[in-house]
Amino acid sequence: MVTTGVFFSKIFKGKDWPIIGDKFRNFPEVLKNVLELPNVQLYESPPVDEELLRKVHDSELLEQTKNAWYYEGALRAVGGCVRAAEMVWRGELRNALVFTVAAGHHAGPSSAWGGTYLSSLGPTVRYLREKYGVRKFTILDTDSHHGDGDRAMFMGDKDVLHVCFCSSNAVEDDGTKVDVDVGWKTTDDKYLKLIEEEFVPRVRRFQPQMVFHFLGHDTCEGDYGDRGLSPSFFIELVKVVKRCSEEVCEGRYVILTGGGSRIDVAEYIFPKIVELLAMDD
Ligand SMILES: [Zn+2]
Ligand SMILES: [Zn+2]
């Protein structure tokens, strides 16, 4: 049976993480029902190998980050991502949801800010290329904010299609780096239409071997990146991206939790997302 992996660490709860706070304080308990599904497996996120971090980050950045209280959380967030992607590539998992703190899309090679102090995808892509020769990746970023760190990490790398839904329109790096302006106030339907029009056709043309999704829910109404979306939007979004991944890369789809500090939204969407990932189509 092909399984959906859920990557979490006990250290992600009970701490006031930068920007997102203690939004995982009731995890993984709130996933109890879905973790009982026969094809869902929970894993403890391991810390990433620091040697791998040195391949994508400047030493000055790493020295600063090492001294921060959130470093251990960031190491495990990145390590969970690397492990999840490896298991998906090896066919040991069909897809995965990776919980993250203190790491993510605002971390580039030499600067990091906004609650994310290590790159999750820089080390992951590097690792899969070196160990398994995987070349082509797509990154979808639907956090409210521009994924400047991931953009800097992969600029000039035309084997990475980075499609970022934020506040500007841009197409650069021979069409492999794309920004889509979703507007400050939008609706679930309008946003999903943009995904169908601006993301899906590009992934079909690009034909990646794996799809990563930085899924911030700070876009939800009442959160700090509010764009007027409802909690159920995130479920519909994952449906579309999962279908697309199944069409282009045998369902190799790895979701990273991104921004968002509404605990009720996190507790509502992530069990449903795991259930959806585990569902046969
Ligand atoms: Zn954000
Ligand atoms: Zn952007």
Side-chain angles (χ1 to χ4, degrees):
M1 183 164 17
V2 194
T3 302
T4 292
V6 177
F7 291 78
F8 188 78
S9 171
K10 289 180 283 290
I11 76 157
F12 292 169
K13 55 198 288 167
K15 295 181 187 72
D16 188 19
W17 299 104
I19 309 290
I20 63 171
D22 191 14
K23 79 170 168 180
F24 301 132
R25 66 185 178 195
N26 296 320
F27 284 80
E29 290 79 6
V30 295
L31 298 171
K32 188 176 179 294
N33 289 341
V34 288
L35 290 174
E36 282 169 1
L37 293 171
N39 59 335
V40 175
Q41 183 67 45
L42 176 66
Y43 299 90
E44 173 77 17
S45 295
V48 68
D49 180 1
E50 293 180 78
E51 201 58 47
L52 181 57
L53 291 180
R54 277 194 281 276
K55 291 178 179 175
V56 305
H57 283 302
D58 286 0
S59 49
E60 297 94 293
L61 175 75
L62 290 177
E63 284 311 311
Q64 287 166 18
T65 313
K66 241 177 212 168
N67 297 318
W69 68 268
Y70 46 72
Y71 186 59
E72 173 73 10
L75 284 182
R76 285 186 182 269
V78 180
C81 187
V82 173
R83 177 66 58 84
E86 177 174 42
M87 291 182 74
V88 168
W89 179 253
R90 288 160 60 103
E92 294 161 3
L93 293 174
R94 177 188 186 201
N95 49 34
L97 172 65
V98 181
F99 286 86
T100 66
V101 299
H105 75 160
H106 294 307
S110 55
S111 74
W113 67 288
T116 62
Y117 305 103
L118 290 175
S119 171
S120 296
L121 293 173
T124 302
V125 164
R126 182 76 178 230
Y127 181 80
L128 287 185
R129 281 180 174 164
E130 286 183 356
K131 189 162 180 192
Y132 299 100
V134 194
R135 285 308 312 166
K136 295 183 82 179
F137 300 88
T138 288
I139 300 169
L140 169 64
D141 188 329
T142 58
D143 188 278
S144 192
H145 305 94
H146 176 59
D148 56 344
D150 283 339
R151 180 61 53 89
M153 189 62 78
F154 296 110
M155 190 51 105
D157 181 344
K158 295 181 179 59
D159 286 325
V160 174
L161 171 66
H162 182 231
V163 186
C164 172
F165 285 71
C166 55
S167 299
S168 61
N169 284 309
V171 177
E172 45 188 356
D173 210 15
D174 289 346
T176 63
K177 307 294 175 286
V178 179
D179 290 302
V180 180
D181 181 6
V182 300
W184 281 112
K185 277 288 164 274
T186 184
T187 65
D188 295 4
D189 288 346
K190 275 196 230 167
Y191 198 121
L192 288 168
K193 190 162 176 280
L194 279 178
I195 293 282
E196 295 280 8
E197 290 172 355
E198 301 292 338
F199 176 71
V200 174
R202 284 191 165 90
V203 181
R204 281 194 183 124
R205 282 198 300 275
F206 187 74
Q207 293 286 310
Q209 292 160 287
M210 190 176 290
V211 173
F212 295 110
H213 185 178
F214 191 77
L215 193 155
H217 55 83
D218 50 354
T219 49
C220 192
E221 53 204 352
D223 214 326
Y224 60 79
D226 187 347
R227 289 181 188 260
L229 300 174
S230 78
S232 60
F233 161 79
F234 304 97
I235 320 302
E236 297 307 311
L237 172 65
V238 170
K239 272 185 201 166
V240 175
V241 183
K242 185 190 178 209
R243 202 184 307 125
C244 180
S245 307
E246 270 156 16
E247 190 191 312
V248 301
C249 54
E250 297 164 51
R252 294 188 204 101
Y253 178 29
V254 176
I255 299 176
L256 286 69
T257 67
S261 63
R262 275 188 61 182
I263 291 172
D264 61 324
V265 174
E267 293 182 0
Y268 173 78
I269 69 173
F270 292 124
K272 286 191 161 49
I273 285 172
V274 173
E275 192 180 4
L276 190 56
L277 287 176
M279 204 177 281
D280 283 321
D281 302 277

